[in-house]
Amino acid sequence: MKILIMNPSSGEMLDNSLSMPLTVYHLAGVLRNAGHEVSIVDEMIYLAGRMDLSLEEAMKKYTSDIDALVFSSNTFNWAKGLDNCKRLRKAGYDGLIIAGGVHPSLAYEHIMTNFSEYIDFIMMGDAEYNLLPLLKRFEQGKGYDDIPGIVYSENGRVVKHDLPCDMKLVESNDGPAYDMVPNGVYKTITFECSRGCLGHCAFCSIPFRRNWRPYSMEHIEKTLQLMIPHISKIEGKPTIITTDDCFTTDSKRAIEIVKMFMDYGLRDYNVHLEARVMDLKNEDFLDLLTDFPSIDLELGVECGYDRGLRAVHKPLTVEMLYNCCELLNDYGLEKNVYSSFIVGMPHESFEECYQTVNTARDLFNTYGVFSAMSFWAPLPSESFELLKTKVPDLTYGIFDNINWSEDQELHYKCHPNLTREQSDQLKRDTYIIKNQV
């Protein structure tokens, strides 16, 4: 089959990071290795003027004779993906349209109830489990009653097939289609060593929480060998981002992987990892990082006070955070790490938000550890469900508006514990903290 994989843009927000979307190139590898003819349209790089064609020209070129459109979306770019589907159907396209990713996996009932005329299937979980058999059955004209992790509309009702509880990662020698990455377009290249997370944070949209699935070391090395010849395609000094939700879940394994990175010469590049405060007690890991000056770690802290950490189910205390920063200081790693905080969550008062702001300030003043601070966005999650109890007319429908995340009135509505003046003040102070470098 001829298949177009699309990465929708996030409305009018131009993502200047221009990071290679690993999901898109992983899907391309999976589909191509199964014998399909694959093309890719990553909207952001066309909107940024980094391709020879305009986005409109690319869409005309790549949708003219395809059998299926596949797109993966999060909550920020879901509406643009939906808009693309509507435009294609209006233009007469009657082939398959399959949506996957975090947002469709969580909002499947809303999507298939309201938009089944545009989207045929929602794919949940890993493509190897459902996308490949679904396409095969479609080609054969057979049914799909036994295909796991798909959602569709049948006679006006939404049908959902559950995923297996023990879904393991499928390891392939072929890996992501790094050879399809265009030259000189992206600013970062992406890589993964695991999927999922053992945590269950209230604000998180990851569909498969408390479920960490690591790739084998052999698979990681083979994929690394596939990626390395294409690092030179990245603009400027390349940055490599591992997309693992928590790279340090197994600290001994993390040490092995970082050593592998070193053996393959990745110290010549910037490397970004996500870590947890609780995992950085392993001093062998910290000692290793001192020999990798271009590596940086993002610590997902989220709240700067203990009640907030408990409210979002973080197995962490402020004391543990400070002890971690002190240890990082001992190893001279404070400039290699930054803490990530969120303010304005539905459980928080204005005063509690400022406990987080003040903690971020203190980390910088005491230890020199910078912080990335963001305002909570109403993404599908346990926190969003809590918000809906305070604002009953909120539904998944708000995310169908392409520029929902830029809607100031919606922002105020989604933070009912804050006055408009308090919300504006928090925005100013979080901006200052993010730019304190």
Side-chain angles (χ1 to χ4, degrees):
M1 295 177 71
K2 293 189 70 172
I3 300 172
L4 172 64
I5 304 172
M6 178 170 291
N7 185 45
S9 63
S10 300
E12 294 176 359
M13 293 192 305
L14 183 60
D15 182 0
N16 291 319
S17 67
L18 291 176
S19 184
M20 169 203 147
L22 184 61
T23 299
V24 168
Y25 289 92
H26 174 79
L27 275 175
V30 168
L31 291 169
R32 190 176 60 181
N33 298 334
H36 297 285
E37 184 180 338
V38 180
S39 53
I40 293 172
V41 172
D42 179 2
E43 286 195 5
M44 198 60 70
I45 59 177
Y46 285 94
L47 292 174
R50 292 186 164 234
M51 302 295 284
D52 293 335
L53 300 178
S54 68
L55 177 59
E56 184 178 357
E57 290 168 337
M59 289 295 290
K60 286 181 180 179
K61 175 181 177 180
Y62 292 112
T63 60
S64 60
D65 60 347
I66 57 171
D67 301 305
L69 168 71
V70 177
F71 74 99
S72 178
S73 69
N74 56 41
T75 305
F76 290 104
N77 65 359
W78 149 252
K80 190 61 172 65
L82 174 62
D83 184 64
N84 290 334
C85 298
K86 290 178 177 179
R87 289 171 183 271
L88 276 175
R89 293 296 193 211
K90 187 176 180 179
Y93 173 72
D94 61 356
L96 267 181
I97 296 182
I98 303 171
V102 171
H103 188 80
S105 294
L106 293 173
Y108 63 86
E109 186 84 34
H110 168 78
I111 292 170
M112 294 313 298
T113 298
N114 294 282
F115 304 116
S116 61
E117 62 187 296
Y118 307 111
I119 296 172
D120 298 296
F121 293 95
I122 288 172
M123 180 185 72
M124 308 169 75
D126 301 336
E128 294 89 343
Y129 279 88
N130 43 33
L131 180 58
L132 293 183
L134 178 62
L135 293 172
K136 187 173 182 179
R137 297 287 181 82
F138 185 79
E139 284 187 290
Q140 296 171 340
K142 296 182 178 179
Y144 32 79
D145 290 345
D146 59 339
I147 297 176
I150 60 172
V151 185
Y152 53 95
S153 179
E154 185 175 73
N155 299 323
R157 72 184 178 95
V158 176
V159 179
K160 174 178 174 281
H161 296 178
D162 290 332
L163 285 163
C165 297
D166 59 344
M167 188 172 64
K168 294 180 173 60
L169 289 176
V170 177
E171 299 189 345
S172 165
N173 290 332
D174 302 299
Y178 285 110
D179 59 295
M180 294 183 70
V181 173
N183 191 46
V185 168
Y186 294 113
K187 296 181 180 180
T188 67
I189 195 166
T190 46
F191 185 82
E192 67 177 346
C193 306
S194 65
R195 293 184 186 174
C197 178
L198 292 179
H200 64 117
C201 297
F203 55 84
C204 185
S205 292
I206 297 173
F208 309 107
R209 297 185 289 172
R210 287 178 167 160
N211 181 15
W212 180 68
R213 298 179 297 153
Y215 281 111
S216 69
M217 297 300 291
E218 293 76 18
H219 175 82
I220 292 170
E221 185 166 15
K222 287 176 182 176
T223 308
L224 195 58
Q225 291 168 348
L226 286 174
M227 180 188 72
I228 285 174
H230 302 284
I231 294 177
S232 60
K233 294 178 177 179
I234 302 304
E235 178 186 76
K237 182 179 180 180
T239 294
I240 301 166
I241 296 178
T242 63
T243 60
D244 302 41
D245 295 303
C246 185
F247 180 85
T248 57
T249 296
D250 181 337
S251 58
K252 291 183 179 179
R253 180 176 178 275
I255 289 172
E256 288 185 60
I257 296 173
V258 171
K259 285 181 177 178
M260 186 189 297
F261 287 174
M262 291 177 170
D263 291 341
Y264 277 92
L266 297 196
R267 275 181 288 194
D268 294 336
Y269 312 113
N270 301 313
V271 177
H272 174 82
L273 314 172
E274 290 198 22
R276 297 187 303 180
V277 168
M278 301 79 75
D279 300 330
L280 295 188
K281 294 182 292 186
N282 187 324
E283 296 194 42
D284 290 336
F285 182 59
L286 298 182
D287 187 54
L288 180 64
L289 295 183
T290 62
D291 199 31
F292 203 145
S294 61
I295 204 167
D296 71 83
L297 280 74
E298 177 183 349
L299 297 180
V301 181
E302 323 318 344
C303 292
Y305 57 103
D306 287 343
R307 193 192 83 82
L309 290 165
R310 290 192 298 271
V312 298
H313 316 316
K314 273 279 185 185
L316 177 64
T317 65
V318 173
E319 182 182 6
M320 291 166 65
L321 171 62
Y322 275 74
N323 289 341
C324 175
C325 290
E326 190 164 332
L327 191 58
L328 290 167
N329 261 196
D330 291 343
Y331 281 87
L333 292 169
E334 65 275 3
K335 300 302 182 188
N336 297 79
V337 175
Y338 66 93
S339 297
S340 174
F341 290 101
I342 302 171
V343 295
M345 287 190 269
H347 69 270
E348 291 188 305
S349 67
F350 179 66
E351 292 73 23
E352 286 173 325
C353 290
Y354 266 91
Q355 289 185 55
T356 294
V357 170
N358 291 332
T359 296
R361 286 173 172 157
D362 195 45
L363 290 181
F364 179 67
N365 293 332
T366 305
Y367 302 107
V369 172
F370 297 113
S371 295
M373 184 164 287
S374 58
F375 228 111
W376 180 76
L379 307 179
S381 61
E382 181 183 327
S383 293
F384 183 60
E385 296 305 313
L386 173 61
L387 175 65
K388 289 198 292 183
T389 65
K390 299 170 182 284
V391 190
D393 62 334
L394 281 180
T395 69
Y396 282 127
I398 66 173
F399 306 119
D400 301 331
N401 172 13
I402 288 178
N403 292 307
W404 71 266
S405 62
E406 298 296 292
D407 185 332
Q408 191 63 32
E409 289 302 314
L410 180 62
H411 170 83
Y412 292 135
K413 184 176 183 177
C414 289
H415 297 88
N417 297 346
L418 306 173
T419 66
R420 292 184 175 225
E421 293 75 17
Q422 289 172 338
S423 180
D424 292 344
Q425 181 181 331
L426 268 171
K427 272 193 170 184
R428 289 193 297 269
D429 284 346
T430 56
Y431 177 82
I432 290 170
I433 288 174
K434 281 195 299 185
N435 291 275
Q436 63 190 348
V437 179

